Amino acid sequence: MKPRVLILRAAGINRDGDAARAVTMAGGQPDLVHIGRIVDGSVSLFDYAMVIVPGGFSYGDVLGAGEGWSKTILFNSKLSDQFSAFFNRPESFALGICNGCQMMSSLKSIIPGAQHWPKFTRNQSEQFEARFAMVEVMDSPSIFFAGMAGTQTPIAVAHGEGFANFSQTGQLADVNVALRFVDHYGQVTERYPLNPNGSPSGITSVTTDDGRFTVMMPHAERVFRTVQHSWHPENWGENSPWARMFQNARKWV
């Protein structure tokens, strides 16, 4: 059996195809669904255990990255109630990537265990950053990073608002960090461009207390295959280390 995975779309999303390919690789069945179909009731969140909110520029980021998308949910009582119920269902889990990270972080008021998450705001460089960067997987409760703690490997980055801003919301001392930027010595860094957005303590992914909901700024779905890397160790085989994230999700289902 291939578990169905909801890949949620909205106007401006452009990495849904990458997410679908990663899900397929891991043995799942991706369903690409526009948020409008949740609104009109033709698709229900409760038909799925897993949701991926992919990257892009939802609603043109005119209210801020991910803000228009999240407000579409929060300001619609029917949608808000459905998403809240989904997040509180013990078998549900979700992954937000880049724009999906920004969107889900703005929904943290209805995501259990996300109260310490930051708001993701403009990069300290004041520009869009698209590059490869080194990250380290932290020891966290995240379902997606199970068994990956200590892994240091490159990943694709492409965002303009990835700064983990705790001055507006969240608590740096208490947040569950899942990924952080490191330098070429493997040490956590806030130095540009090794840390493209300047986030404190190199933070670029956080998760909930039980690990069911994880958000990340880098694009693991764009580099889950070895051939997508400009260089790789000879022993990697077909898949890069990032494939394990999606395989972990399949295993958890």
Side-chain angles (χ1 to χ4, degrees), residues 3 22 37 63 71 75-77 125-126 153 172 177 186 189 197 220 237 248-249 251:
R37 297 186 64 196
L63 299 177
K71 297 300 187 290
F75 294 167
N76 181 315
S77 59
S125 66
E126 292 291 334
T153 194
L172 176 59
V177 180
T189 184
N197 53 50
N248 279 341
K251 182 179 180 181

Side-chain angles (χ1 to χ4, degrees), residues 4-248:
R4 296 171 62 199
V5 176
L6 173 62
I7 299 178
L8 194 62
R9 301 177 61 250
I13 289 302
N14 57 30
R15 309 313 311 192
D16 46 316
D18 295 309
R21 284 184 283 275
V23 167
T24 301
M25 172 278 303
Q29 176 186 317
D31 291 348
L32 280 66
V33 175
H34 192 277
I35 186 69
R37 297 186 64 196
I38 308 294
V39 173
D40 66 22
S42 59
V43 175
S44 171
L45 293 176
F46 301 112
D47 294 333
Y48 302 87
M50 179 181 174
V51 170
I52 295 179
V53 189
F57 304 92
S58 59
Y59 300 98
D61 288 349
V62 292
L63 299 177
E67 290 291 326
W69 202 356
S70 63
K71 297 300 187 290
T72 299
I73 295 168
L74 292 174
F75 294 167
N76 181 315
S77 59
K78 181 180 177 182
L79 270 185
S80 180
D81 289 347
Q82 184 174 170
F83 272 83
S84 180
F86 174 83
F87 290 138
N88 280 277
R89 192 178 62 169
E91 64 269 29
S92 297
F93 65 118
L95 174 66
I97 305 172
C98 199
N99 199 230
C101 168
Q102 297 152 344
M103 180 272 239
M104 283 183 61
S105 68
S106 295
L107 292 180
K108 73 173 193 172
S109 62
I110 60 173
I111 301 177
Q115 67 272 17
H116 300 305
W117 286 6
K119 181 179 178 63
F120 291 88
T121 59
R122 186 73 173 164
N123 295 341
Q124 295 293 88
S125 66
E126 292 291 334
Q127 62 185 3
F128 183 85
E129 298 289 342
R131 60 180 73 245
F132 262 92
M134 283 290 292
V135 294
E136 178 182 20
V137 180
M138 303 299 290
D139 187 8
S140 77
S142 175
I143 289 167
F144 297 94
F145 295 114
M148 296 178 65
T151 299
Q152 293 185 348
T153 194
I155 195 168
V157 171
H159 58 255
E161 298 183 35
F163 177 69
N165 193 339
F166 290 91
S167 68
Q168 299 188 26
T169 182
Q171 194 66 246
L172 176 59
D174 297 319
V175 73
N176 291 302
V177 180
L179 283 180
R180 64 182 185 180
F181 290 113
V182 295
D183 62 21
H184 46 288
Y185 295 107
Q187 301 300 310
V188 61
T189 184
E190 297 179 9
R191 185 161 65 92
Y192 179 85
L194 303 176
N195 178 334
N197 53 50
S199 290
S201 302
I203 293 171
T204 193
S205 173
V206 294
T207 190
T208 51
D209 295 337
D210 62 5
R212 290 190 299 121
F213 305 105
T214 298
V215 293
M216 60 186 296
M217 286 308 304
H219 287 273
E221 83 289 4
R222 288 176 54 184
V223 288
F224 73 89
R225 297 188 65 209
T226 295
V227 296
Q228 294 169 311
H229 292 253
S230 57
W231 178 90
H232 58 83
E234 293 183 1
N235 63 350
W236 268 14
E238 175 69 19
N239 294 327
S240 83
W242 299 114
R244 185 165 179 177
M245 283 183 58
F246 303 94
Q247 293 163 345
N248 279 341

